[in-house]
Amino acid sequence: MFAFGYDEYLLHAFPKDELRPISCTGHDSQGGIAMTLIDALDSLVVMNSPAKLRRAVQWLCQSLTFDVDARVHVFEITIRALGGLLSTHVLLEHKPSAVLGYNGCLLRLAVDLADRLLPAFQTASGVPLSWVHLQKGVLPGETRFTCTACAATLLLEFGTLSRLTGNPTYEQKAKLAMKRVFGMRSPVTGLVGNTLHTDNQEWLRTDSGIGAGIDSFYEYLLKAYLVFGEVEYLDMFTKVYTSAMHGLRLKLLASAPPDSPLPPPWLADADMDSGKLAQPWISSLSAFWPGLQALAGQVEDAKKLLAAWVYAWTQFDGLPDLFDMAATERHPLQKGYPLRPEVMESTYLLYAATRDPSLLEVGRTLQATLAEGNKQKCGYAAVADVSTGELEDSMESFFLSETSKYLYLLQADAADLPDHYIFTTEGHLLPPFQLANSQQPSADATTQSASSSCWDWWIPNFGNWLSYTAPSDDVGRLDAAMDISETASEAAAVQCAPMCRNVSVAEASERQHLLQSLLPLLPLNAHDAVLLRQRRCKACLQVSASMIQSATSLPPVGIVDDLQQCSASDDGICPVDTMQTQAGLTERRFICLLEVQQDRLQCSQYQEIKLAAEMSLLPNNALVLQQRPTQVSQTTLYSLSYLGSENLHLAVGATFGQSLQEAGHCGPAGLADSICNLLGAVVIAEPADACAPLTNAQELSGAVLLVDRGSCSFMEKALNVEQAGALAVIVINIKDSEAAFAMGSDEQPHDVMILSMMVSKHVGQDLRHPKDSSQGGSEPRLLNIDLVDLPNVTLGFAQSAYMEQHVYVPKATQSWLETNGDVTRLAQQDKSKSTWQSLVLDLAASIQSMQT
């Protein structure tokens, strides 16, 4: 797979940056610097291609220049080009026989490139800009916004360059940027946002996650510790990892019934401060997380999450950029798979940690999908739409640097490689560096020299590793020292025992010999293996203890999963577009992903979602529920009584329409005993819900109309009744609850004049069938409506007012409900629930009762 893609690139695209595998041409994405060749360099070492490696290095050293008229992306060119040059230089320095006569030219190229990127760091905060011109530096008017990952994923490459050249400037700048972003975490959740301003360090986007825009921020904190050995990086990683696992994992509803399905173990996007779901989609870029967990010794969590990713892969035959939490629907716009490597990376790293043979089968499945669906005449093509299989004329460089590399390592069973090298976010290999000045316990001290061919080592006291104080720096102090309990330390030691076990000299020698036979061009060093295993052991102990401790000590501030009564003004089931017209009126929204289980329609996920989330782009099985609290100060109460009856009832006035006083039903203004009341004949609406023009309009002049709640908005009912000439409309809450509330509208304002109010179901029954029959005859009974001006009554009634849940069904979800066979079967089982609308309303009612 790699050989075919690489050869076709050289044949049809070189020296352009990337290959177009369908049209058999090339194109430039980063200035025409032969990006694919640079990105694939260390893959040639891994895959034992010495002749191709020599030719590639020779061309780069003789012909490559970065003095080009091009505006480039700092993050992308760093991880692909700078990382590729540095990794291959290190490998060739440690194995000169791979390219005889190599003179360090790749390092010189790396220095030239890095120097051209340094102007991006000239900001007020030191956080680098996203773009820079390779000849002119920062162009006038350049954007000042950057993503979290873009700013904080430069440390491995710039830090390695500093160590290789002795120039600390590169690492200092990348480290400062990393710490600046780390210092912008939410004080509530510990999460970071997605996009920030490089000068004033303010968040432009506060949605947090582990996918696009943030992903490698987490990755490089852990890997910076593993490569450089500075405990400060591990301290920072421990904090952000714990915050992410605590704040981004979807949770089972606390109030859900025992038979509710468990949610998949996704980490979703949430607001960094409130914890509300930011979008109901999973980013395929976050598939790297199980591999990161495997490196940090969180193997059980990694297994569960990787299983979900593999399931998603098999559902889509690839991973779309975004898909729903049930892995059934791809995003309507971000629906392609550009041959990304994250699921291959996680499969390989988890296999390396567990030696689980089933993961080798997963690797074969992943490779078969690409071989069958993506191989074209001149390379491997990205997928434009996973639902149709339509291909895109693109093969990005990471297909050769990462995707095919991880599949090769799985197929070769090279499980011991992570003991010797750390993979950058672009899949480039870096060895661990020894600390110049020791900043950590004796875990980095080795008992044998770097030239030793085998190794045996001792694990220091666990407790010493788990008690630490974060160092201070010029950015400000990190969080206070972690207070790890003895119980958490002991549990962490048990969890990390496989990673921290002693390795005998014989076993170490045998494993290194086997790995060398699999990867003959790759230099292997026993000292590096000692160093990396010790650092990974320490990382496992510290992260595990933090996770164990947080499970009992941290408040539940993750993705909000507590069901709340949703209130909104319009009634019934409405298209989602109606909600979007005046979203500012809504204070909270929730999303329910529908599924049929155990012969009922239910929510597979129910999460609060940010008001700013895009409501027009939802999974096709999504309901949206929203709430707006009733404003007590705007609530008007009326007393209702039939003429001649002593029975009094309460009604709640609407927020639209005229009041009694505005309608001219009060006595002269200014009199102390001024009375506001209205007397009218009670008539029952036909149709009962008043959602269509009234057929008994001839009876309504000067009448008070009784209307059933449901089927259309309150505003529509009021307009139909007003046009028929009635004096007032009383909406009866026919739902099971006996509560009434102040009706309002999210629609565009209308000139509704009619007096409008709501009564409970119980009051509505009494109004239809009064128990007091003192007023005889067949003539309509006269109802007296009086204004209630008693603050204590108003307060008490408002406190018991029912908060209405309002359901919005997007058109795509309507189609799903209408065409889903299980939904149709459920609807047909009960004649009283013959439509999907009834099933949806029943589901909404069950959510309400669950909260109540």
Side-chain angles (χ1 to χ4, degrees), residues 48-365:
N48 194 30
S49 301
K52 293 177 181 179
L53 176 65
R54 285 192 292 270
R55 287 194 293 270
V57 171
Q58 182 180 16
W59 184 89
L60 290 170
C61 293
Q62 294 177 353
S63 305
L64 180 63
T65 177
F66 293 114
D67 186 19
V68 294
D69 182 11
R71 175 177 175 261
V72 297
H73 196 274
V74 175
F75 166 73
E76 291 293 350
I77 203 169
T78 295
I79 64 172
R80 299 191 193 200
L82 186 61
L85 293 170
L86 291 172
S87 173
T88 309
H89 168 76
V90 170
L91 298 180
L92 295 182
E93 283 287 298
H94 286 82
K95 192 139 188 173
S97 60
V99 176
L100 293 175
Y102 173 69
N103 62 4
C105 59
L106 298 181
L107 180 60
R108 291 192 291 274
L109 286 169
V111 170
D112 180 41
L113 175 57
D115 287 345
R116 295 174 187 273
L117 301 180
L118 287 181
F121 291 86
Q122 294 173 5
T123 62
S125 66
V127 174
L129 301 174
S130 289
W131 296 88
V132 72
H133 194 281
L134 288 177
Q135 290 179 333
K136 303 173 185 177
V138 177
L139 297 176
E142 186 61 82
T143 177
R144 313 301 290 184
F145 290 101
T146 190
C147 72
T148 296
C150 302
T153 311
L154 310 173
L155 189 55
L156 288 187
E157 291 80 9
F158 276 69
T160 296
L161 186 58
S162 284
R163 280 162 170 74
L164 294 177
T165 62
N167 182 353
T169 299
Y170 307 110
E171 182 172 5
Q172 287 172 354
K173 291 185 178 296
K175 185 175 184 178
L176 176 62
M178 172 79 81
K179 293 167 103 174
R180 292 290 195 201
V181 174
F182 178 83
M184 293 174 66
R185 293 169 301 143
S186 166
V188 179
T189 65
L191 299 172
V192 295
N194 187 287
T195 306
L196 64 146
H197 196 285
T198 57
D199 294 318
N200 60 27
Q201 291 186 261
E202 292 182 355
W203 290 111
L204 175 66
R205 285 178 52 187
T206 59
D207 46 311
S208 186
I210 60 168
I214 307 178
D215 46 4
S216 47
F217 163 70
Y218 298 97
E219 180 184 2
Y220 267 35
L221 282 172
L222 174 63
K223 291 182 177 179
Y225 165 68
L226 295 177
V227 172
F228 303 134
E230 296 182 22
V231 179
E232 181 181 11
Y233 295 133
L234 178 58
D235 295 349
M236 290 192 284
F237 173 74
T238 302
K239 292 176 176 63
V240 297
Y241 177 84
T242 304
S243 296
M245 291 298 289
H246 186 63
L248 299 176
R249 272 196 294 191
L250 298 176
K251 304 172 181 65
L252 182 66
L253 300 178
S255 50
D259 58 352
S260 292
L262 290 172
W266 303 120
L267 279 75
D269 289 356
D271 182 81
M272 63 179 287
D273 294 312
S274 69
K276 294 179 182 179
L277 189 68
Q279 62 169 349
W281 303 99
I282 303 301
S283 168
S284 65
L285 283 168
S286 58
F288 83 99
W289 196 258
L292 187 71
Q293 291 177 312
L295 277 180
Q298 310 306 295
V299 172
E300 293 306 313
D301 284 339
K303 289 179 181 178
K304 295 173 186 176
L305 186 53
L306 182 61
W309 281 109
V310 173
Y311 172 76
W313 176 279
T314 58
Q315 288 294 99
F316 296 113
D317 282 334
L319 289 178
D321 287 325
L322 295 174
F323 57 90
D324 72 304
M325 291 179 275
T328 58
E329 296 295 327
R330 88 288 189 274
H331 190 277
L333 298 180
Q334 299 184 50
K335 53 192 176 183
Y337 169 61
L339 305 178
R340 286 204 175 105
E342 285 76 17
V343 71
M344 292 81 173
E345 174 188 7
S346 285
T347 302
Y348 169 68
L349 290 176
L350 186 58
Y351 174 71
T354 64
R355 306 302 205 270
D356 181 352
S358 68
L359 294 174
L360 297 177
E361 184 59 36
V362 169
R364 286 188 282 270
T365 299

Side-chain angles (χ1 to χ4, degrees), residues 396 523 661:
E396 290 203 48
Q661 185 173 12

Side-chain angles (χ1 to χ4, degrees), residues 367-430:
Q367 186 165 343
T369 301
L370 298 178
E372 295 168 8
N374 300 83
K375 188 174 182 179
Q376 297 297 295
K377 178 182 178 181
C378 300
Y380 288 85
V383 181
D385 186 344
V386 296
S387 64
T388 64
E390 176 189 356
L391 296 179
E392 183 178 346
D393 196 8
S394 171
M395 188 184 86
E396 290 203 48
S397 63
F398 54 67
F399 178 74
L400 299 181
S401 69
E402 297 184 85
T403 306
S404 56
K405 180 184 291 175
Y406 290 123
L407 289 173
Y408 176 84
L409 291 172
L410 270 169
Q411 190 177 69
D413 199 5
D416 287 317
L417 185 56
D419 284 348
H420 294 263
Y421 291 94
I422 292 299
F423 295 91
T424 71
T425 195
E426 190 68 10
H428 298 305
L429 280 67
L430 291 177

